[in-house]
Amino acid sequence: MTREEAAPPVWTPSAERIAAAHMSRFLSHVAAVVDNVDDRTSLWRWSIEQHAEFWRAVWDFTGIAASRQPERPLKGDGMLDADGRPATRFFPGARLNFAENLLRHDSTRDAERPALIAWTEHGPRRRLSHRQLADEVAACAAGLRAAGVERGDRVAGFLPNGPEAVIAMLATASLGAVWSSCSPDFGATGVLDRFGQIGPRVVFTADGYRFGGKDYPSLERIREVVAQIPEAERLVVAPVLAEVNGEPAELAALDALSGVEIVLWDDHLVRDPAPLEYHQAPFDHPLYILYSSGTTGLPKCMVHGAGGTLIQHLKELVLHTDIGPDDKVFYFTTTGWMMWNWLVSSLATGAAVVLYDGSPFARDAILWDLAEEEGVTVFGTSAKYLAMAEKKGLTPRTSHDLGALRTILSTGSPLLPASYDYVYRDIADDVLLASISGGTDIVSCFALGDPTAPVYRGELQARGLGMSVEVFDAEGRPQVGAPGELVCTRAFPSMPVRFWNDPDGAKYRAAYFEVYPDVWRHGDWAEITPRGGLVIHGRSDATLNPGGVRIGTAEIYRQVEQFDEVLESLVVGQRAGDDVRIVLFVRLRDDLTLDDALRERIRRRVRENASPFHVPKVIAQVADLPRTRSGKITEMAVRDILEGREVANVAALANPEALDAFRDHPELAV
């Protein structure tokens, strides 16, 4: 047993919290009709072994609204059929609408309670109750219908994280059309790489957005994009930047866009429309098109189904995160990251969704100002934000009243053990800290929190219920207590229903099923602990292999980023003769220069706390690190450059200029 495994938990839920949790109520719900299910371990095992019964129980427990109930929970078996489509069909015969399930609180006792609370860098911007949100969606849907949008048409959003994005998405879903979005910080090429593949009939855009106190107009970029999408018929412009600056809306930048009707947001809305009608469709009817990062070529377009997204999100939000009508749920995200889709699904629980658009450090503690002022109960962010907040010396526990805060969520990259210490020392001592992991591919999670279980430093608490997650060794056998490939061995509802422009399923099969037949290989290098937790060591395609020993990058990051001098780091393997050497790049605090003394301290810490195999052979300083549009540092782009390959699609990067520092770097000659 390692020192970490022997350590006591850093947080344990109270008996009262366990008793009140939705997870406990669900366990009782199942135990009443199923023998030998009496704790969370047996509940997870039952959810895998009795797959159909589990998903039926989730449907019933969360109260999914459907105009026609399913014939049975699932039909078929296996992951992928010969045509490259999911071989298991969930809830055949059901007819439902995603938007109806998210808006169903508009006529309940919760109708006047907040549904959306939107902030910008200036502070509060807009609030909508559940009833008001439903009215706005009805007006937007009527505008789409007037524009000719029908079931299956694509509607796209180039919008900041504000109410307009949520309203337009729900309006699209209410009609049975398909929603896709990009964050407005994407360049024109990056947007066209995405929207150009799917051909949206209507595009929603903002006139711009603000980040870090600076204004970034959007209309010239979206004009360039829409001009190259022949399917586009209407462009709807929300004057977000004009509103923030107290100026009149301007469309002059779009005057020369021919063949496309251009309307302002308010002119698109049809006020006092007929009552909102929800198009009822099969469980696997397309809802979202999401995209891979696109750093190795054109982004993959993943089509996610309405029912699969809904039931998976409800399982995760209600059971694993314990969200209900009294909650205010915040996640720092953009509309181009799947966590936006996950966050918005919280509306289905009756909770209020708290949106923020802008820099997380517009002023150092703005997110904690938001949490205090709005009484946020669930605060979601990234591992990188928590690390940066600690380096900035933020101590919300003493500077803010966070009495309402119950849960902190983290994703985007492995949460370092030191960040667990930071949260419980400097943010709040009685919160569930849930590191969660999944991705765009499944628009959900493979592993996440459990409000009824202890939190251990450096571990994700649990594999998701109904998710047959295993870690395979080199021979493809399940193992515990050693790192390997994270896989899922049974079908689950939120698998993509297909990839766009992939008629024979070849792209789908290549993405997940080429290594292990009929087993989903996710691409994470992970480890299941003896107590059932999960440790993510990094991406398996970025694992390092010095001296023939395969190690994960997270094992190095967790040591390096504890140095106060280091703001961020990036680790790659570089071929050196017949071996691979580890190269570490560091971004230091302003005005600091990497010297031999700091290099030696880093090497010593890595050697003592990881192993001699983990010690970087080269440690180099750079001014910035390349990252995707969703903010993830991309190891693969740097590795390509070090191995003499150009990055296939630099437009997928938020800061492609950062790559220049890695070309012909004087310390990287081999």
Side-chain angles (χ1 to χ4, degrees), residues 562-635:
Q562 292 186 55
F563 285 88
D564 184 64
E565 298 93 332
V566 178
L567 292 177
E568 294 180 304
S569 60
L570 182 149
V571 177
V572 293
Q574 181 188 25
R575 293 203 169 277
D578 295 330
D579 200 358
V580 173
R581 69 179 186 179
I582 296 175
V583 180
L584 169 67
F585 296 96
V586 292
R587 183 169 78 88
L588 302 182
R589 290 183 179 275
D590 292 345
D591 302 324
L592 291 183
T593 301
L594 181 66
D595 57 20
D596 289 340
L598 180 55
R599 285 188 177 95
E600 181 53 33
R601 287 168 53 213
I602 290 172
R603 289 191 173 105
R604 185 186 314 119
R605 182 178 185 90
V606 172
R607 182 182 297 108
E608 292 174 352
N609 292 283
S611 83
F613 291 105
H614 293 74
V615 177
K617 297 295 184 185
V618 176
I619 304 177
Q621 181 176 1
V622 290
D624 199 6
L625 299 173
R627 64 197 78 237
T628 65
R629 295 284 177 178
S630 60
K632 294 182 181 180
I633 292 173
T634 172
E635 298 159 338

Side-chain angles (χ1 to χ4, degrees), residues 362-379:
R363 56 179 185 266
D364 280 353
I366 189 168
L367 297 189
W368 301 110
D369 296 343
L370 177 157
E372 177 183 41
E373 186 168 330
E374 299 297 347
V376 167
T377 58
V378 178
F379 182 98

Side-chain angles (χ1 to χ4, degrees), residues 13-323:
S14 66
E16 294 77 13
R17 182 159 179 168
I18 293 172
H22 294 304
M23 182 73 84
S24 297
R25 292 200 301 111
F26 182 71
L27 176 59
S28 298
H29 174 79
V30 173
V33 293
V34 179
D35 293 334
N36 301 317
V37 174
D38 53 12
D39 60 17
R40 60 191 184 90
T41 301
S42 57
L43 179 64
W44 181 81
R45 188 180 306 113
W46 171 78
S47 76
I48 302 306
E49 295 173 352
Q50 303 298 326
H51 217 210
E53 289 81 356
F54 166 73
W55 287 110
R56 179 78 235 196
V58 174
W59 176 290
D60 293 339
F61 187 81
T62 58
I64 288 176
S67 62
R68 185 188 303 165
Q69 291 297 309
E71 300 159 2
R72 46 183 158 164
L74 56 85
K75 178 181 179 181
D77 194 22
M79 286 282 205
L80 217 62
D81 64 20
D83 297 323
R85 299 291 177 89
T88 300
R89 286 193 62 209
F90 285 85
F91 299 101
R95 307 281 290 190
L96 55 77
N97 184 275
F98 182 83
E100 181 178 15
N101 278 273
L102 269 63
L103 293 171
R104 57 185 169 172
H105 297 275
D106 70 317
S107 58
T108 69
R109 63 180 179 83
D110 299 320
E112 303 308 325
R113 299 176 74 173
L116 293 183
I117 300 169
W119 274 48
T120 69
E121 292 183 355
H122 289 301
R125 177 189 167 210
R126 191 178 179 192
R127 305 170 75 89
L128 292 172
S129 69
H130 287 281
R131 191 187 308 280
Q132 290 170 326
L133 175 60
D135 289 345
E136 293 296 299
V137 171
C140 187
L144 288 173
R145 193 178 296 109
V149 173
E150 300 176 343
R151 166 182 171 160
D153 286 341
R154 276 77 61 208
V155 176
F158 187 56
L159 293 164
N161 185 25
E164 294 83 1
V166 178
I167 292 165
M169 180 277 285
L170 290 171
T172 300
S174 75
L175 301 177
V178 186
W179 175 260
S180 190
S181 61
C182 285
S183 173
D185 59 347
F186 276 53
T189 300
V191 181
L192 190 60
D193 283 351
R194 291 158 173 79
F195 294 171
Q197 292 189 71
I198 67 170
R201 192 166 179 179
V202 174
V203 176
F204 287 88
T205 187
D207 57 346
Y209 67 98
R210 174 168 289 182
F211 190 90
K214 293 180 62 178
D215 291 348
Y216 294 90
S218 298
L219 295 186
E220 286 288 356
R221 279 177 291 144
I222 201 63
R223 178 191 179 282
E224 182 180 342
V225 170
V226 172
Q228 298 180 69
I229 300 177
E231 298 89 347
E233 298 173 359
R234 173 178 280 195
L235 179 63
V236 182
V237 180
V240 174
L241 197 57
E243 175 194 313
V244 169
N245 293 325
E247 299 171 350
E250 279 288 346
L251 295 180
L254 300 172
D255 285 349
L257 188 60
S258 62
V260 178
E261 181 188 17
I262 303 168
V263 299
L264 285 170
W265 174 268
D266 284 345
D267 295 329
H268 167 81
L269 303 181
V270 178
R271 295 295 181 183
D272 301 318
L276 184 58
E277 295 182 7
Y278 297 107
H279 179 85
Q280 303 295 312
F283 186 84
D284 57 1
H285 180 70
L287 167 71
Y288 290 137
I289 298 176
L290 275 65
Y291 307 96
S292 65
S293 60
T295 53
T296 58
L298 279 179
K300 296 189 293 288
C301 304
M302 307 164 191
V303 184
H304 286 287
T309 301
L310 176 66
I311 196 168
Q312 183 81 318
H313 284 183
L314 280 173
K315 179 203 74 178
E316 295 179 347
L317 294 163
V318 174
L319 302 183
H320 286 279
T321 319
D322 204 29
I323 293 173

